[in-house]
Amino acid sequence: MTSSSAVLILAASLDYLIGDPWNWIHPVQVMGWFISRLSKLALKYCHNSFTQRLAGIALTIFLVIGSGVVGWSIVQCTMWFHPIAGILVESILLASCFALKSLRTAAETTIKPLKKGNIKEARSILSNFVGRDTQNLTSLEILRAVLETVTENATDGVMAPLFYALLGAFVPFIGSSTFALAYKASSTLDSMIGYREVPFTYLGWFSARLEDCLTWLPCRLTVITLALLSRKPLKVIKICQRDAPKDLSPNSGWSECAYAAILGVQMGGINWYRGVAKVKPLLGDAIYPISLNSIKTALQLTRYSFLLWLGGVASLLLFTIKR
């Protein structure tokens, strides 16, 4: 249990201080490579909905379980070499599952040219982080896009991986990184092939459903945590119950809506994807316009939630040892 606490704290520190270093091989890149190759093979040889669904199930099970097993094997091998080496390697693997610093960096990188009035550069940078068309966005729409990205990914990029890391810390001989890597594989599958549109309509349906299921509980716990941190929990929960179900996603709407309720802003509206307009449900009340401070506060709320969960579970692990 002591080593579990050390791994959690060290991983969180690495993510906060370093994040994802450029030119380093990242576990998500490896996952993405496998997903890309295997999905192309599946689409090449599976030509109807039934076989594509079966291929999607096989691909998802292989990658999710395989990612966890590979991560566990690496940790066990280094642990056999030396316990401290095992802790360091597991901490690095676990840190790669957290996107707290990456979210902050993406937001700050996009906002920086916007502060200088260089909207063209801000649009260009934003296009690296979002799927919507950015070439005609106004300054206010750029701010909304950044806030929506930060608040949506707060759950599946930060809090959900932490949830499974904390869960893994209580499972003997498994460890935090195993569960976190398995979840990260599910999340990566969803982001790459979990679409309703062709060619992934059938191939990606299982991975999308699995990711929804795995994210459901940590998402609700995140909303509750945010509501408590806001000091107006009943109001936040009420707005979430009113607006979040309008979103087709069972999770992203709740995540975004919680932040919108706390900040007193409204997210959603018309977004353009490859020239096609898509209307997203309105979340929250437009008491204030979305501003730079809204994004800063959202990032702080995510960090406070992260530290609250981490500190609580790490303390519980240490308390268990003392007893």
Side-chain angles (χ1 to χ4, degrees), residues 245-281:
K246 300 174 187 176
D247 198 295
L248 291 176
S249 169
N251 298 310
S252 63
W254 284 87
S255 183
E256 291 182 38
C257 195
Y259 286 92
I262 295 170
L263 298 171
V265 301
Q266 190 172 73
M267 288 186 267
I270 300 176
N271 296 333
W272 292 83
Y273 298 88
R274 299 184 184 91
V276 179
K278 184 176 181 179
V279 180
K280 300 279 285 183

Side-chain angles (χ1 to χ4, degrees), residues 13 29 34 50 76 81 96 113 115 123 141 153 168 203 215 222 225 239 252 256-257:
S13 301
Q29 290 177 313
F34 276 101
F50 179 71
Q76 292 305 309
F81 177 74
S96 72
K115 288 180 178 179
R123 289 168 178 162
E141 288 171 332
N153 287 284
L203 183 67
T215 308
T222 300
T225 304
I239 293 175
S252 63
E256 291 182 38
C257 195

Side-chain angles (χ1 to χ4, degrees), residues 74-299:
I74 292 172
V75 172
Q76 292 305 309
C77 288
T78 52
M79 193 74 73
W80 175 80
F81 177 74
H82 197 285
I84 294 179
I87 290 174
L88 289 173
V89 169
E90 185 172 11
S91 300
I92 293 170
L93 287 174
L94 183 56
S96 72
C97 297
F98 300 147
L100 194 57
K101 184 176 179 64
S102 298
L103 271 181
R104 185 171 71 248
T105 301
E108 291 173 349
T109 303
T110 304
I111 289 169
K112 188 175 181 180
L114 197 62
K115 288 180 178 179
K116 299 177 180 178
N118 193 341
I119 190 170
K120 187 175 180 180
E121 184 180 352
R123 289 168 178 162
S124 177
I125 294 172
L126 179 63
S127 66
N128 297 317
F129 306 117
V130 300
R132 72 190 72 181
D133 300 339
T134 63
Q135 59 268 27
N136 297 315
L137 294 183
T138 64
S139 297
L140 194 58
E141 288 171 332
I142 291 174
L143 290 175
R144 176 168 71 87
V146 172
L147 184 60
E148 288 175 352
T149 299
V150 165
T151 56
E152 178 182 353
N153 287 284
T155 294
D156 57 14
V158 179
M159 300 305 293
L162 176 62
F163 172 84
Y164 286 102
L166 298 176
L167 188 64
F170 288 97
V171 181
F173 309 113
I174 299 299
S176 297
S177 62
T178 303
F179 279 20
L181 285 167
Y183 174 79
K184 203 67 178 180
S186 173
S187 179
T188 306
L189 276 160
D190 180 57
S191 64
M192 290 185 67
I193 65 172
Y195 298 104
R196 298 173 186 271
E197 296 82 11
V198 293
F200 302 120
T201 307
Y202 303 110
L203 183 67
W205 75 275
F206 183 75
S207 60
R209 299 299 177 275
L210 179 64
E211 199 274 344
D212 286 342
C213 291
L214 292 177
T215 308
W216 192 92
L217 180 57
C219 177
R220 270 64 187 174
L221 292 175
T222 300
V223 170
I224 293 171
T225 304
L226 290 168
L228 292 173
L229 286 173
S230 74
R231 300 180 183 178
K232 44 184 179 181
L234 294 179
K235 179 181 178 181
V236 172
I237 297 298
K238 185 177 180 180
I239 293 175
C240 286
Q241 290 176 330
R242 182 194 71 191
D243 294 343
K246 300 174 187 176
D247 198 295
L248 291 176
S249 169
N251 298 310
S252 63
W254 284 87
S255 183
E256 291 182 38
C257 195
Y259 286 92
I262 295 170
L263 298 171
V265 301
Q266 190 172 73
M267 288 186 267
I270 300 176
N271 296 333
W272 292 83
Y273 298 88
R274 299 184 184 91
V276 179
K278 184 176 181 179
V279 180
K280 300 279 285 183
L282 297 176
L283 306 173
D285 300 317
I287 301 172
Y288 308 106
I290 295 175
S291 64
L292 296 173
N293 191 58
S294 304
I295 298 168
K296 179 181 177 181
T297 303
L299 290 167

